[in-house]
Amino acid sequence: MRRERGPEESSRMDTQRLSIRGRILEPDDPALQEALAAVYETPERPRCLCVPGGVEMYVAFHCSYLAKRMPDTGSQHHPACPSFEPSPQQSGLG
């Protein structure tokens, strides 16, 4: 039987939210590109807020700035997060 998500949980999973320099930004936020540019090529890391405490990401540039998951952290993201990837042991690839 599938459990229905409550309103707080549902909204948390519908979109990826990032914490950058203390600001919470969503993918459609007009300030996201500026915030990602500010931490690009610095040691600062955006955090994906799909789980309590967040997961560190890194910033890449491919025509625009993108927050991408750090290597080997896909399984630390919530399963509904776009950055989630099962661990090799869970996926049968390990």
Side-chain angles (χ1 to χ4, degrees), residues 22-39:
R23 293 180 63 193
I24 309 299
L25 301 162
E26 294 189 6
D28 60 350
D29 192 316
L32 180 62
Q33 283 296 299
E34 183 179 330
L36 291 171
V39 297

Side-chain angles (χ1 to χ4, degrees), residues 2-14 78:
R2 204 167 171 191
R3 183 177 71 85
E4 290 295 317
R5 292 187 286 186
E8 179 182 310
E9 186 179 10
S10 177
S11 66
R12 188 180 73 214
M13 300 305 152
D14 289 344
H78 189 277

Side-chain angles (χ1 to χ4, degrees), residues 26-88:
E26 294 189 6
D28 60 350
D29 192 316
L32 180 62
Q33 283 296 299
E34 183 179 330
L36 291 171
V39 297
Y40 182 67
E41 295 185 338
T42 75
E44 294 180 72
R45 301 237 182 251
R47 293 189 77 79
C48 177
L49 300 176
C50 64
V51 294
V55 183
E56 281 195 341
M57 307 279 279
Y58 74 94
V59 179
F61 184 80
H62 301 283
C63 299
S64 64
Y65 292 97
L66 306 167
K68 301 186 84 169
R69 73 170 174 256
M70 299 286 289
D72 303 318
T73 64
S75 64
Q76 295 174 26
H77 291 267
H78 189 277
C81 178
S83 294
F84 175 78
E85 179 178 70
S87 69

